[in-house]
Amino acid sequence: IGSTAFVEKDVQTRKYNVDKAAAYLNVDIAVSGNKFIAGASPALADMLVDAVEEVVAFGRQKDDGPPNIPISVQDVGPLGGGFDVAPFLNHIGIASADFGFRWPDGSFPVCHSVYDSNYWIDTFVDPVGPGTTRYLKALTRIWGLIAMRLATAPVLPMDVNQLAQSVDSYARQVQDAINIRGLNVSLVALVGAIAALDDEAAAFTRALAADTNGTLRINRILAACEQQFLVATGLPSRKWYKNTLVASALDTGYTAEVFPGIMEEVKALRVDTARQQVDVATAAVKRLTTLLKDEPAKTPATNDDMRQKKVGGHVCHITYGTCALMCAVGRTHVQDGFHEAVTLGVWCVSRCIFPSWCASQCCCSAP
């Protein structure tokens, strides 16, 4: 309830502009077992896997981490429900990730009980030795590394190719559901739109590799990708859920449903509504394709793209990600829907949610 109320209120008051965030990172349960389980918006999957691999390597050097955390992009599935991701991903379309160490079958056998204790961790989760906390250390490092990369990378580490591939995979799951039920629902238009998206995502990635400027504009595009799947009217049976790409499953709550508008109508055998939802999903895919057509090399870089701001005699060289994610951007100027962060210096030091970091990295410690 807390996260939902926070998001809903902010959409009305615009105090923090959370719907302009690039990503939301969630850790609902840090350690309840020794198997790493992750779910994420497709554009974040590659970055998450890279972070895990680097943390494992670092743990080996320090001899204080898990021996291995086997994970690939294919292991990072879509996000379901039942935790704080819901308002960010399902209601306002912020790319999200959730991860943690769980029991091998994904359960939490001592959840909400007196047995959720240090004894449980030391005896069943990490029996190498009492108090080693290897998995807690690893989880904290993974979370911290992902957050810092999102905040400080000149270009947001989001993979539009992976997003396009996942959209195609989700459509195949919908087709399987239609075939099983023998319904007369065609996905031809949706499949065609996804093919165009795949081509445009590849073109965008190629242009991005060749473009050393235009950072601010590129990040606007990357951060807005997930929101292209939002529809104001919501899903047919759940108006609050506005993301047409993924939602928690209607009949389970915790698991994910891909293309939920179509899937729910197919499972309920409502053919006419299912066809309407195919049109809705097709339009969403086309919006994303149109967004990506503004390839990085098509627009000359501006001074804002280089993020150079003179504050108190100092020139601050900062990235869009730094300002948007590390600062509490409640009352900055806004340009094209993203924070321009022109009020740096004293404002940044006094208002930033990470004042020490912001003072040293974002504002050049200007006196």
Side-chain angles (χ1 to χ4, degrees), residues 269-283:
L269 307 181
R270 293 189 286 262
V271 173
D272 290 341
T273 315
R275 291 170 179 166
Q276 293 171 4
Q277 287 302 302
V278 172
D279 293 338
V280 171
T282 301

Side-chain angles (χ1 to χ4, degrees), residues 88-104:
F88 295 93
L89 177 63
N90 303 139
H91 193 60
I92 60 174
I94 303 301
S96 302
D98 175 74
F99 42 88
F101 289 94
R102 311 287 168 80
W103 206 239

